[in-house]
Amino acid sequence: MSKLLEEFQDYLSKMNQYEHVTTLLYWDMKTGAPKLGQAGHVEALTHFSTEAFALSTSEKLGEMLAGLAKPEEFDALTDTWKFIVTRMKRDFDRDKRIPADVYAAFVQTQAEAGNVWVEAKEKSDFSLFAPYLQKMIDLTVEITGYTDPGMEVYDALLDQYEEGMDSATIDGLFEDLKKELIPFVKEILLRQKPENQAFKGCFDTNGQKSVQDMLLDYIGFRKDAGSVGESEHPFTLNFSSKDVRLTNHYYEHDPISAIFSAIHEGGHAIFEQNVNPEYDNTVAGSCRYMGLHESQSRFYENILGRNYNFWLPVYDTLGELLPPFQAISLDDFYREINHVKNSFIRVNADEVTYCFHIILRYEMEKAIFRDHVPVNDLPALWNRKMQEYLLITPANDAEGILQDMHWSDGGFGYFPSYLLGSIYDGMLLDTLQEELGDVDELLKSGKIGEITAWLNRKIHRYGSTRKPKDAIMAVCGKEISAEPLIRYFKKKYTKLYQI
Ligand code: ZN
């Protein structure tokens, strides 16, 4: 190993110590720290984040990356280290172009906009949030001009979350979904069943936690390399493949929520636990492509978890751990977890109408960045699109445009990742069945471990080393298409709703 590479690795390990501490502080703030202790944590987090930022933008790092990129050093690197150096050099050069005062203004506006968004949502008053949204949009456009000069702004934003994806590709995929799903959902809704009151009862939250543990274990989440906490909104984070944390939130009168959040976050966590450990603590590890990440959480949650056969081997155990389920048949449970209905809130939507929630947000973002629609006109545009796709109009902005925190955080371009994840899932399901056999049969006979092992082998172990398009091509041998997802929806819901 060259002296320069050795020096570089030492530097990376120092950067990791900061990352480790900031991750731990964040975890504790969200899961354990009391209200009065939050301020102290914020102070510590700011200190360590600033130090970490200084390390990741230092002249020294720039010199090392430039040195390692020279042919005499680069050619001697292993493929993994070639990837790490190339990726870090690209990110370093890109971040370096952002003027420090612009970056500081962005971080500050992010914090302010986040707080104002919470208040605006509580009061359901978009006018409070509008000036901050405008600032976030302006800063995002300015920063993109530095990071991706010459690139169309919205395409650059999409690329940040799902590298290699652009709006021309996404337009094609989403148009196919719209064309097929708008009339199909109308057919489903004509056969709408009334709400099942059995799920409105009282479900002990300790029992829900036992169910969660049973399910995580069942799908392949490893407890020696992960743990579970409780937070307001479920999320997953990781230190390395050996320490992956997820959270859940339990509602006494809604057991379905925690069950499916556990399976969803479990999917994210299983991905992280199975990345090649050689990539730990480098940019090759922990998957940074949001669509590919969502494809794994949503594969477990929807493709597997909302399949009737998934529950056959474990439904009796569910009843033992959470006794009210003993009075609910598996048929009724299956119908409830696949109840298609037009609703206002994205995170509560079923897997079919969820597509419309994302298409709507994608079109809103294009209206912002491409058509420059004034911020004050956005709530009305949102409501028109809700009516167009979901045939309902929000009574107020809290259940409309103010429901998600993404834009307050500057996360423009993130939303399409969720639906891209489902589109990849349709393709992965096809290939999985070609290679392992019928998924219903595998699930019925409790062979979910074979499915997890297949995903480990095909997707998880690569971490961030393959871009999503390349990963799907390598596994499925095809360009990305929405057709398999549409076919999956039609087969499943035609049977369920007897269309
Ligand atoms: Zn997720």
Side-chain angles (χ1 to χ4, degrees), residues 432-453:
L432 181 138
Q433 298 201 103
E434 278 162 25
E435 297 184 7
L436 295 186
D438 186 46
V439 75
D440 293 344
E441 292 302 320
L442 289 165
L443 289 172
K444 199 183 290 177
S445 47
K447 290 181 180 162
I448 190 161
E450 285 184 26
I451 297 174
T452 291

Side-chain angles (χ1 to χ4, degrees), residues 264-265 268 294 297:
H264 179 97
E265 299 305 329
H268 282 305
E294 280 300 317
S297 53

Side-chain angles (χ1 to χ4, degrees), residues 27 54 76 90 154 159 164 166 177 206 229 262 329 390 392 423 472 477 484 486 494:
W27 170 261
R90 193 200 66 174
Y154 193 51
D159 194 73
D166 53 33
L177 283 169
N206 284 324
S329 71
L390 290 152
I392 48 177
I423 290 171
I472 296 300
I486 294 166
T494 298

Side-chain angles (χ1 to χ4, degrees), residues 269-462:
I270 289 170
F271 190 159
E272 292 296 341
Q273 287 185 330
N274 290 285
V275 172
N276 183 345
E278 278 179 32
Y279 303 160
D280 275 349
N281 303 318
T282 74
V283 288
S286 186
C287 178
R288 60 192 273 160
Y289 313 116
M290 294 305 119
L292 199 60
H293 229 308
E294 280 300 317
S295 80
Q296 298 309 290
S297 53
R298 300 175 73 75
F299 197 87
Y300 281 94
E301 179 194 348
N302 293 333
I303 305 280
L304 304 178
R306 293 185 204 276
N307 182 315
Y308 185 88
N309 301 284
F310 175 93
W311 295 96
L312 280 171
V314 292
Y315 198 69
D316 285 346
T317 316
L318 175 64
E320 282 161 28
L321 298 171
L322 212 49
F325 273 99
Q326 289 169 12
I328 299 171
S329 71
L330 176 53
D331 282 4
D332 282 349
F333 177 68
Y334 178 62
R335 262 193 295 277
E336 179 67 16
I337 64 177
N338 291 294
H339 188 173
V340 177
K341 62 172 189 293
N342 287 337
S343 60
F344 295 111
I345 306 296
R346 173 183 64 88
V347 294
N348 299 335
D350 60 89
E351 63 174 333
V352 190
T353 61
Y354 190 88
C355 302
F356 298 139
H357 288 267
I358 297 304
I359 291 170
L360 177 152
R361 284 156 178 78
Y362 171 67
E363 293 179 353
M364 292 292 295
E365 291 183 337
K366 282 204 298 184
I368 293 171
F369 291 99
R370 219 161 261 178
D371 306 333
H372 310 289
V373 171
V375 159
N376 289 330
D377 294 349
L378 294 174
L381 182 61
W382 179 286
N383 292 353
R384 272 206 305 282
K385 287 188 180 291
M386 278 302 277
Q387 190 59 46
E388 184 186 346
Y389 296 131
L390 290 152
L391 313 171
I392 48 177
T393 302
N396 54 56
D397 290 335
E399 63 178 23
I401 192 168
L402 287 173
Q403 64 182 274
D404 299 303
M405 58 89 67
H406 300 56
W407 291 345
S408 73
D409 204 32
F412 304 105
Y414 189 109
F415 284 120
S417 308
Y418 297 112
L419 186 47
L420 288 170
S422 290
I423 290 171
Y424 304 161
D425 283 345
M427 301 186 68
L428 291 172
L429 177 63
D430 274 359
T431 308
L432 181 138
Q433 298 201 103
E434 278 162 25
E435 297 184 7
L436 295 186
D438 186 46
V439 75
D440 293 344
E441 292 302 320
L442 289 165
L443 289 172
K444 199 183 290 177
S445 47
K447 290 181 180 162
I448 190 161
E450 285 184 26
I451 297 174
T452 291
W454 187 85
L455 291 169
N456 290 165
R457 227 168 36 242
K458 299 282 178 175
I459 301 280
H460 303 159
R461 72 186 178 100
Y462 293 94

Side-chain angles (χ1 to χ4, degrees), residues 53 98-112 139 143:
F53 184 73
I98 308 172
D101 59 330
V102 175
Y103 184 75
F106 182 81
V107 174
Q108 197 185 330
T109 310
Q110 219 175 12
E112 289 167 359
L139 282 164
I143 289 176

